[in-house]
């Protein structure tokens, strides 16, 4: 079975050009002008942009956290993802302290296999370090997992400096890379205690206990450790201008540092926490929290000049009923937002259409860079012969309004309720199959596990 997408503009990180795309089976067969139909089903995409399928390298589906479980599992989460143009998610396999990496990997396969509407891979979380864990590292690479996650906060997950350093050195042997959640846990805990003692328990205390300098300090701390370890590193969900400055200083020293940010840090600010209505404020609780408008401006400039390499969502969704657990104690509000469904249209609207970034930069941020960084390139992230036929057909003329009623996430709300987009996603193809057509799901759980190789960025 062949399909010919005819008359569109093919977008890559390097350039855009008018070209047809011929699909055969699951792969892209040819890209070029005036390709012959040769018996293929012809789809007219005149006036539309063809992006490689978007990759979200930071999602949390079916995760037990804060005495509850995320609203989205791999059924609802991956439907939400592909509905928004994301054809590959890389979720986090999270064994608890005391459990083996293999146990965590097996558990996440049980959560995802046969249930996913987009393709998927896993990062492996390391929250323990001992000889048994070290001995499992080669098996993770053999299973197609070259990327790992470590935390500098959260007692159930955080890893100390010594163990982090040893883990990074072990990953270095195999060409692996780690992403790190950077916040200063000790000072955050002290600020939380002070706020509770003063009776300040509303959602507005959340950003006050996690101020900009505590992200920057943790980033600087991590980067000095990786300087000695001699390893590349990824700073996940970076949110502040101060932390970005620490990255730039490390790069000036010759260090290899990659940066991810998220749409909510680009589009929302900390005023959301100071609404009088508890539910209205609590829905935005996440870590790091929203920052100031001046941080947003710096992050947008960093996207435009290449200082930031990827935009992922940190999709970690909870219903408003789950968020209600924090009434009277802001630390009990489950932290996280839905976002995997809206990322592409928001980045096009606030980035490309607003003149902040180009469509080529959007392609790099959402497709090619994460494919390279996390070892899925060139199978994913690019529209070239031989690559998977993962395509997002974007119609720049089809504006729409984002509402909870149109979302497939189980969260029941969107942080971007009422936002008007510039253009919208017309179709999404997953390995050659039309999965979404003008908002309607056309395929079921056809997603497959994608083993990856060490980074090529």
């Amino acid at each position: 079975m062949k399909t010919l997408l005819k008359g569109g503009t093919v977008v890559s990180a390097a350039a855009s050009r008018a070209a047809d795309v011929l699909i055969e089976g699951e792969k892209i067969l040819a890209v070029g002008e005036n390709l012959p139909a040769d018996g293929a089903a012809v789809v007219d995409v005149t006036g539309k942009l063809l992006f490689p399928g978007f990759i979200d390298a930071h999602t949390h589906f079916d995760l037990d956290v804060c005495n509850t479980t995320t609203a989205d599992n791999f059924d609802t989460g991956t439907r939400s993802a592909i509905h928004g143009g994301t054809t590959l998610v890389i979720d986090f396999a999270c064994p608890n302290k005391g459990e083996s990496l293999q146990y965590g990997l097996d558990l996440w396969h049980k959560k995802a296999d046969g249930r996913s509407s987009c393709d998927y891979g896993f990062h492996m979380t390391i929250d323990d370090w001992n000889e048994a864990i070290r001995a499992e590292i080669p098996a993770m690479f053999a299973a197609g997992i070259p990327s790992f996650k470590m935390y500098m906060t959260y007692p159930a997950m955080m890893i100390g400096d010594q163990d982090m350093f040893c883990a990074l050195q072990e990953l270095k042997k195999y060409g692996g890379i780690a992403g790190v959640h950077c916040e200063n846990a000790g000072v955050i805990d002290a600020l939380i205690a002070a706020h509770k003692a003063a009776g300040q328990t509303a959602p507005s205390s959340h950003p006050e206990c996690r101020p900009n300098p505590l992200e920057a300090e943790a980033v600087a701390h991590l980067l000095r450790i990786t300087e000695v370890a001699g390893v590349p590193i990824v700073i996940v969900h970076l949110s502040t201008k101060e932390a970005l400055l620490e990255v730039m200083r490390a790069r000036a020293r010759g260090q290899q540092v990659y940066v991810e940010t998220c749409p909510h840090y680009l589009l929302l600010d900390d005023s959301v926490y100071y609404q009088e209505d508890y539910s209205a404020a609590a829905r935005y609780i996440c870590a790091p929290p929203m920052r100031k408008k001046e941080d947003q401006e710096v992050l947008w400039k960093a996207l435009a000049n290449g200082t930031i390499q990827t935009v992922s969502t940190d999709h970690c969704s909870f219903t408003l009923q789950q968020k209600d657990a924090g009434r009277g104690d802001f630390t009990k509000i489950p932290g996280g937002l839905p976002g995997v469904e809206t990322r592409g249209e928001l980045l096009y609207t606030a980035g490309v259409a607003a003149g902040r970034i180009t469509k080529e930069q959007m392609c790099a941020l959402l497709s090619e860079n994460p494919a390279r960084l996390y070892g899925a390139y060139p199978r994913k992230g690019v529209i070239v012969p031989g690559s998977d036929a993962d395509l997002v057909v974007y119609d720049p003329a089809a504006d729409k309004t984002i509402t909870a009623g149109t979302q497939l996430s189980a969260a029941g709300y969107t942080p971007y309720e009422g936002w008007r987009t510039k253009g919208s996603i017309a179709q999404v193809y997953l390995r050659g199959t039309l999965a979404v057509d003008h908002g309607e799901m056309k395929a079921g759980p056809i997603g497959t596990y994608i083993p990856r190789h060490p980074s090529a960025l």
Side-chain angles (χ1 to χ4, degrees), residues 26-357:
E26 296 192 345
K27 298 292 184 179
I28 294 171
L29 184 62
V31 181
E33 294 187 52
N34 301 313
L35 294 180
D38 193 26
V42 178
V43 181
D44 184 4
V45 291
T46 301
K48 298 179 177 66
L49 305 174
L50 304 184
F51 287 95
F54 303 147
I55 298 170
D56 194 339
H58 195 151
T59 63
H60 297 284
F61 299 148
D62 203 351
L63 177 67
D64 296 328
V65 63
C66 206
N67 298 313
T68 189
T69 304
T70 53
D72 282 309
N73 56 23
F74 279 86
D75 293 291
T76 61
T78 58
R79 281 203 299 270
S80 180
I82 200 155
H83 196 241
T86 291
T87 54
L88 171 65
V89 297
I90 309 179
D91 205 81
F92 294 87
C94 297
N96 295 316
K97 287 182 182 290
E99 296 173 347
S100 69
L101 303 184
Q102 190 63 49
Y103 175 84
L105 178 56
D106 291 344
L107 178 59
W108 252 256
H109 270 296
K110 289 177 184 177
K111 293 171 186 273
D113 292 352
R115 301 174 63 181
S116 298
S117 294
C118 68
D119 288 348
Y120 57 95
F122 305 122
H123 308 287
M124 178 55 63
T125 299
I126 298 176
D127 49 27
D128 270 342
W129 189 254
N130 51 49
E131 277 302 304
I133 296 294
R134 185 195 63 76
E136 288 190 275
I137 296 297
M140 295 300 103
F141 284 86
I145 299 176
S147 52
F148 298 78
K149 173 77 172 289
M150 288 182 273
Y151 291 83
M152 298 175 75
T153 188
Y154 304 137
M157 296 175 171
M158 64 187 297
I159 187 169
D161 289 352
Q162 179 178 349
D163 287 345
M164 179 186 290
F165 179 80
C166 292
L168 289 171
Q169 287 197 311
E170 190 67 21
L171 299 183
K172 181 181 179 180
K173 296 177 183 178
Y174 305 94
I177 198 164
V180 182
H181 179 134
C182 298
E183 291 184 287
N184 184 303
V187 181
I188 288 171
D189 288 345
L191 290 171
I192 288 172
H195 274 68
K196 286 186 174 182
Q200 298 170 342
T201 59
S204 57
S205 290
H206 176 71
E208 293 169 6
C209 292
R210 305 178 107 93
N212 286 28
L214 297 189
E215 182 185 58
E217 186 281 331
V219 168
H221 186 96
L222 169 70
L223 292 176
R224 288 300 187 179
I225 291 173
T226 59
E227 180 184 18
V228 176
V231 296
I233 201 73
V234 182
I235 310 298
V236 301
H237 51 50
L238 185 139
S239 65
T240 63
K241 59 185 185 298
E242 293 92 343
L244 193 67
L245 183 59
E246 295 298 338
V247 169
M248 294 167 69
R249 287 169 174 160
R251 287 176 177 159
R253 296 193 295 265
Q255 290 185 246
Q256 200 172 351
V257 188
Y258 302 103
V259 179
E260 164 201 279
T261 195
C262 306
H264 44 280
Y265 301 125
L266 297 167
L267 301 172
L268 303 172
D269 63 72
D270 63 358
S271 65
V272 298
Y273 300 117
Y274 292 88
Q275 303 175 77
E276 289 188 13
D277 179 73
Y278 167 85
S279 178
R283 69 187 62 190
Y284 295 101
I285 295 291
C286 61
M290 311 309 167
R291 305 299 188 177
K292 302 292 185 184
K293 289 186 182 298
E294 51 262 39
D295 292 295
Q296 293 178 12
E297 294 170 6
V298 169
L299 295 179
W300 277 112
K301 290 177 181 176
L303 293 179
N305 65 27
T307 305
I308 295 176
Q309 283 69 50
T310 68
V311 177
S312 300
T313 62
D314 195 6
H315 182 104
C316 189
S317 62
F318 300 95
T319 66
L320 297 182
Q321 290 73 27
Q322 288 175 297
K323 293 278 189 178
D324 203 48
R327 285 187 184 271
D329 184 351
F330 68 97
T331 64
K332 294 182 179 178
I333 303 171
L337 305 173
V340 73
E341 199 161 345
T342 51
R343 177 183 58 144
E345 291 171 342
L346 287 171
L347 200 64
Y348 185 88
T349 299
V352 178
R356 289 185 170 113
I357 59 173

Side-chain angles (χ1 to χ4, degrees), residues 375-439:
Y377 183 88
R379 179 175 180 179
K380 303 290 187 182
V382 66
I383 300 174
V384 297
S387 294
D388 281 359
D390 296 346
L391 298 163
V392 177
V393 181
Y394 198 93
D395 186 349
D399 297 359
K400 75 174 192 181
T401 300
I402 296 173
T403 67
T406 64
Q407 303 288 294
L408 301 187
S409 166
Y413 79 97
T414 170
Y416 310 102
E417 183 72 34
W419 285 53
R420 189 72 177 165
T421 71
K422 292 292 185 181
S424 60
I425 292 168
Q427 288 98 19
V428 183
Y429 289 83
L430 176 63
R431 285 179 284 107
T433 295
L434 179 62
V436 181
D437 187 16
H438 292 88

